[in-house]
Amino acid sequence: MVRTRPSNLGGVRPADHPYDRVAAPAYNSVDVDVVVIGAGFAGMFMLHRLRQIGCTARVFEAGGDVGGTWYRNRYPGARCDVESVEYSYSFDEDLQHEWVWAERFAGQAELLRYARHVADRFDLRRDIVFDARVAGASFDDASRTWSVTTSDGQQTSCRFLISAVGCLSSTNVPTIVGQERFTGEQLHTGAWPHDGVDFSGQRVGVIGTGSSGVQAIPEIAKSAAHLTVFQRTPTYAAPALNRSLHPHELDAIKADYPALREANKLMAGAFGSRSTRGTESALDVAADEREAEFERRWAAGGLTFLHGFADHLTNAASNDTAADFVRRKIASIVDDPNVAAKLAPTHIIGCKRMCIDSGYYATFNRPNVALVDLRSAPLEEITERGIRAGGVDHELDIIVYATGFDAMTGSLLRMDLRGPATSLREEWAAGPATYLGLGVAGMPNLFIITGPGSPSVLTNVIASIEHHVEWIAACIETLRSDGRTRIEANPDAQDAWVAHVNAVADATLYPTCNSWYLGANVPGKSRVFMPLPGHPPYVARCAEVAANGYEGFTLA
């Protein structure tokens, strides 16, 4: 397995902030109404809403403080790819106005400060147990309660169990022959040392060129003596064009924040309403007009590059016009034509999450950076002194795995969650199945925030989090007022929902790629397209289910 310094994957919490040094509250096994797993953006808001509806709640967080993704992912260059004024809570008007975002795309440090501010502002920490990893939970049908067990053996009983573990929280560390022999340092971008890493004078190898790799590689290259990038699949990246936010711009947004939030709710990804979205096919306009639109989107920066035309993710020919534009941009940025050709993707653009680029392609013009294309020079093994690929030994001092996550299901399945007659691992052995991404047949009184079968990772995830939290809170409030103590997804409704998710996905180009949306980045994981494209129709369907007495769920 990967050997790391103590502050990385080994479980020792670095004391980089005063909150990291505060002892967790010593709870006994006292019953609460709800247990929430995770204290990231989903868990924090869920706790706040549970208090508002009069529920007692306890949150278990494996890390040393709030923040979730932004507590763990501290690699150089870590940054959100949704604009900060959108990737933020909308539930409290005062909170929206008092927080001053510094940048267009907030970096990890700013997002962690924001999370900590929210925890302080709403006094959340008194109900959060830090450094407490949930090992498992079991549901007792006689008492209609969950018994939740943490890794230290402590147990807590509750009526409802809510997973707020996040979609991208379980690191995917590849198994490579010889890992245990390497005498240098091995790190994963998703579990970065809190005291940072000094790359000065070091020979560094980065495996992976997805979002974390695209962000980290330019930063590592600035200080490393030499950087070797090991690429399996090239990546499409649009320029981020990150910048400081001018106070006047921020004031203008805050002056009508509700309108921005409402407009975003009508967007397929629940963000991007600040830029126009095209309604025509890319094939129905003249070539020069299409090129001008691509140039305009490229110059604007960000993920809205693909919003210029309506059919990029449903029409392969239209998609190819955008893909070819990016390939030509890569060729114009990278000096060496051979390197540019290796960096040029050939798959559908957008079927894997597009990256935003802060000098990624230009980094390969640096004299201290080399690219190894693993398609032509396969990675053979890790040696004592580096990586052997295509018969060539690359001597390294540090190996960085930018290999992403066991997305959407990894953290859920690492826990042993057991219903009255089955376990989540058994139910999902052939791939995840949910009803609305919120409930699972066989798992009573369990709710999942941004679970498989919901838009989740195809959206501005905070918008999806807020929608799910509000829906769950309203559901629990209704159950309590009606004197009901049990809710469970109906198997037939779940089967119909899974079929619906598959049908919607199959009408797009998303399933054409071996992406982490399908679990293709994790060896042995079932290939199932997990998120549901289309935020507004999904929100409408959830509202319809609730209005019809939570149809598709069995209530008792």
Side-chain angles (χ1 to χ4, degrees):
M1 204 53 189
V2 177
R3 292 179 294 107
T4 63
R5 58 171 69 181
S7 59
N8 190 20
L9 300 178
V12 177
R13 187 177 79 250
D16 72 322
H17 189 279
Y19 297 135
D20 294 330
R21 297 190 288 273
V22 175
Y27 284 106
N28 296 318
S29 296
V30 179
D31 291 348
V32 290
D33 295 324
V34 185
V35 163
V36 179
I37 309 172
F41 283 100
M44 287 197 296
F45 184 39
M46 190 75 252
L47 171 59
H48 178 64
R49 286 294 287 121
L50 289 168
R51 287 178 178 175
Q52 288 183 323
I53 64 172
C55 286
T56 58
R58 186 168 308 152
V59 180
F60 291 111
E61 167 56 48
D65 193 25
V66 298
T69 291
W70 306 109
Y71 177 80
R72 293 182 299 271
N73 288 262
R74 303 177 183 224
Y75 61 85
R79 188 173 298 282
C80 187
D81 58 6
V82 174
E83 293 194 24
S84 56
V85 295
E86 297 172 285
Y87 188 87
S88 49
Y89 288 124
S90 67
F91 69 86
D92 186 277
E93 190 69 12
D94 290 338
L95 173 64
Q96 291 194 119
H97 283 273
E98 72 193 20
W99 186 263
V100 178
W101 291 105
E103 295 182 287
R104 180 188 182 192
F105 295 102
Q108 176 272 329
E110 185 176 14
L111 287 162
L112 183 56
R113 288 195 301 273
Y114 176 68
R116 286 168 164 164
H117 170 75
V118 172
D120 288 341
R121 193 184 191 286
F122 298 102
D123 188 24
L124 299 179
R125 287 187 182 80
R126 61 184 165 89
D127 289 317
I128 303 174
V129 186
F130 295 109
D131 300 304
R133 184 176 295 279
V134 171
S138 59
F139 186 81
D140 178 67
D141 229 353
S143 62
R144 294 179 177 175
T145 58
W146 281 95
S147 178
V148 182
T149 304
T150 53
S151 54
D152 62 359
Q154 295 292 310
Q155 291 190 328
T156 302
S157 62
C158 58
R159 180 70 66 197
F160 299 101
L161 179 63
I162 300 175
S163 169
V165 296
C167 299
L168 300 172
S169 55
S170 183
T171 54
N172 173 42
V173 182
T175 300
I176 303 172
V177 173
Q179 276 173 319
E180 73 287 349
R181 292 183 292 167
F182 184 60
T183 57
E185 192 168 20
Q186 300 184 66
L187 306 165
H188 191 285
T189 51
W192 203 255
H194 287 201
D195 54 353
V197 180
D198 184 4
F199 292 105
S200 301
Q202 302 294 299
R203 298 166 299 178
V204 184
V206 174
I207 300 175
T209 54
S211 293
S212 58
V214 165
Q215 291 183 337
I217 284 166
E219 296 301 313
I220 294 173
K222 292 175 183 176
S223 59
H226 191 272
L227 171 63
T228 305
V229 177
F230 297 87
Q231 171 190 271
R232 183 181 63 179
T233 305
T235 297
Y236 291 105
L241 302 181
N242 190 38
R243 55 178 170 77
S244 298
L245 282 176
H246 193 281
H248 295 316
E249 180 183 4
L250 202 52
D251 288 345
I253 292 168
K254 290 181 177 183
D256 200 7
Y257 230 145
L260 172 63
R261 302 297 193 182
E262 289 303 312
N264 276 348
K265 290 177 182 178
L266 302 178
M267 306 296 285
F271 76 99
S273 64
R274 295 199 333 132
S275 87
T276 57
R277 194 177 186 103
T279 58
E280 295 180 287
S281 167
L283 305 178
D284 289 343
V285 300
D288 58 344
E289 183 181 344
R290 184 171 61 234
E291 187 78 2
E293 176 64 11
F294 286 145
E295 287 287 1
R296 187 179 72 81
R297 296 275 170 175
W298 191 265
L303 290 178
T304 57
F305 171 75
L306 286 179
H307 291 182
F309 298 98
D311 59 345
H312 280 322
L313 288 171
T314 56
N315 184 315
S318 173
N319 186 279
D320 193 54
T321 63
D324 186 59
F325 177 87
V326 177
R327 287 190 285 263
R328 284 185 277 116
K329 283 294 185 183
I330 295 170
S332 70
I333 295 168
V334 180
D335 295 338
D336 187 329
N338 292 326
V339 174
K342 292 176 181 177
L343 290 169
T346 57
H347 56 268
I348 292 290
I349 185 171
C351 66
K352 296 185 177 187
R353 189 174 182 93
M354 195 169 181
C355 301
I356 57 172
D357 163 23
S358 293
Y360 172 68
Y361 295 124
T363 297
F364 292 92
N365 294 331
R366 297 178 63 105
N368 67 327
V369 176
L371 177 67
V372 175
D373 181 7
L374 297 180
R375 294 171 300 178
S376 57
L379 198 157
E380 298 167 25
E381 63 178 323
I382 294 177
T383 67
E384 290 183 2
R385 302 177 63 183
I387 292 176
R388 180 173 297 138
V392 177
D393 285 324
H394 302 271
E395 293 193 0
L396 304 169
D397 303 302
I398 300 173
I399 296 174
V400 175
Y401 297 95
T403 48
F405 302 89
D406 184 351
M408 303 195 71
T409 61
S411 294
L412 282 162
L413 293 177
R414 287 188 181 183
M415 301 179 289
D416 186 15
L417 302 182
R418 295 186 172 273
T422 187
S423 71
L424 189 66
R425 290 170 181 167
E426 291 169 333
E427 290 299 301
W428 287 6
T434 71
Y435 179 46
L436 303 177
L438 284 159
V440 180
M443 298 284 130
N445 292 12
L446 170 69
F447 296 105
I448 303 172
I449 300 175
T450 62
S454 73
S456 58
V457 294
L458 297 180
T459 68
N460 166 13
V461 75
I462 292 191
S464 286
I465 284 169
E466 288 190 324
H467 169 245
H468 269 188
V469 167
E470 295 288 4
W471 192 96
I472 293 168
C475 180
I476 291 176
E477 195 170 25
T478 300
L479 293 170
R480 292 181 61 181
S481 65
D482 292 346
R484 298 181 184 272
T485 56
R486 194 181 192 279
I487 182 170
E488 180 184 347
N490 182 292
D492 291 338
Q494 178 170 283
D495 289 345
W497 185 253
V498 170
H500 170 70
V501 172
N502 288 336
V504 173
D506 287 343
T508 73
L509 299 173
Y510 279 117
T512 63
C513 290
N514 287 323
S515 69
W516 57 261
Y517 295 149
L518 286 152
N521 62 318
V522 179
K525 187 170 181 175
S526 298
R527 299 294 189 264
V528 176
F529 191 79
M530 293 179 282
L532 170 68
H535 182 71
Y538 171 78
V539 170
R541 178 57 184 152
C542 288
E544 182 182 16
V545 166
N548 292 336
Y550 295 98
E551 64 179 351
F553 290 93
T554 300
L555 281 60

